[in-house]
């Protein structure tokens, strides 16, 4: 699927643009987690990450981008240091998800779905979306509906 088509369907700029600095860091953590979950980072994923990044409130401010960039780098280092340890990765995702306030949870799940499907959907990426939905307290139908908005253009996931 063409990433531009997906991006046309997903525009949470109004929501993402209102995040606090702390919330922005949490969303960056989710972005980093998403591109690393399947064990490979592709140019298409990086393009999707950059597009989502540009919707966050710090985008355009060199100083704030440096702060958030360093935070993202540290998150990447932490995830990579786990060397695939499922228990540690699961706990980190739970910790990250617990920091997303209720009003931003759907936008966070859509953002993860956008980036996860950018280069084709891997099993780990689907699992990540569903696990994130569980952490947010969404039932499986609601999670599938949110994911379907991105993955299938509104069909059931």
């Amino acid at each position: 699927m063409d990433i531009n088509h997906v991006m046309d369907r997903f525009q949470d700029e109004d929501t993402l643009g209102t995040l606090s600095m702390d919330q922005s860091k949490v969303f960056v953590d989710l972005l980093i987690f998403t591109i690393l979950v399947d064990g490979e980072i592709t140019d298409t994923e990086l393009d999707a990450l950059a597009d989502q990044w540009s919707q966050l409130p710090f985008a355009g401010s060199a100083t704030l981008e440096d702060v958030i960039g360093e935070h993202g780098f540290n998150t990447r280092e932490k995830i990579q240091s786990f060397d695939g340890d499922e228990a540690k990765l699961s706990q980190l995702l739970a910790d990250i998800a617990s920091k997303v306030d209720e009003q931003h949870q759907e936008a966070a799940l859509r953002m993860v779905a956008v980036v996860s499907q950018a280069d084709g959907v891997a099993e780990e990426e689907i699992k990540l979306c569903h696990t994130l939905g569980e952490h947010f307290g969404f039932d499986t139908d609601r999670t599938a509906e949110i994911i379907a908005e991105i993955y299938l253009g509104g069909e059931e996931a």
Side-chain angles (χ1 to χ4, degrees):
M1 178 179 285
D2 180 346
I3 189 64
N4 292 323
H5 176 70
V6 172
M7 299 321 296
D8 288 343
R9 288 200 328 258
F10 176 73
Q11 294 299 321
D12 273 326
E13 288 183 73
D14 291 341
T15 301
L16 298 179
T18 64
L19 297 174
S20 69
M21 182 60 104
D22 287 340
Q23 284 291 309
S24 293
K25 288 179 179 179
V26 172
F27 272 61
V28 167
D29 288 345
L30 286 171
L31 286 170
I32 300 298
F33 202 100
T34 303
I35 65 166
L36 294 175
V37 73
D38 67 352
E40 69 173 331
I41 301 172
T42 67
D43 289 340
T44 307
E45 282 178 322
L46 292 175
D47 289 344
L49 180 138
D51 189 75
Q52 296 304 298
W53 181 283
S54 72
Q55 293 181 43
L56 295 170
F58 58 80
S61 165
T63 303
L64 294 178
E65 283 197 23
D66 285 347
V67 169
I68 295 292
E70 183 176 337
H71 177 81
F73 177 81
N74 291 336
T75 298
R76 188 189 83 201
E77 291 288 308
K78 179 186 291 185
I79 291 169
Q80 290 176 327
S81 76
F82 293 164
D83 198 29
D85 183 320
E86 289 294 322
K88 289 180 180 179
L89 290 169
S90 180
Q91 184 59 54
L92 178 62
L93 182 59
D95 292 345
I96 293 169
S98 73
K99 296 175 185 173
V100 179
D101 59 358
E102 190 174 346
Q103 73 181 31
H104 295 110
Q105 290 174 342
E106 285 189 24
L109 182 54
R110 282 192 297 271
M111 180 191 70
V112 167
V114 165
V115 175
S116 72
Q117 67 78 54
D119 64 344
V121 182
E123 183 179 327
E124 298 90 351
E125 293 166 332
I126 294 171
K127 182 180 175 186
L128 171 63
C129 290
H130 284 279
T131 302
L132 187 59
E134 289 172 16
H135 286 306
F136 290 157
F138 299 153
D139 64 32
T140 54
D141 289 342
R142 181 65 187 133
T143 299
E145 179 183 309
I146 294 167
I147 296 167
E149 291 174 14
I150 305 304
Y151 280 12
L152 306 172
E155 298 171 24
E156 290 302 310

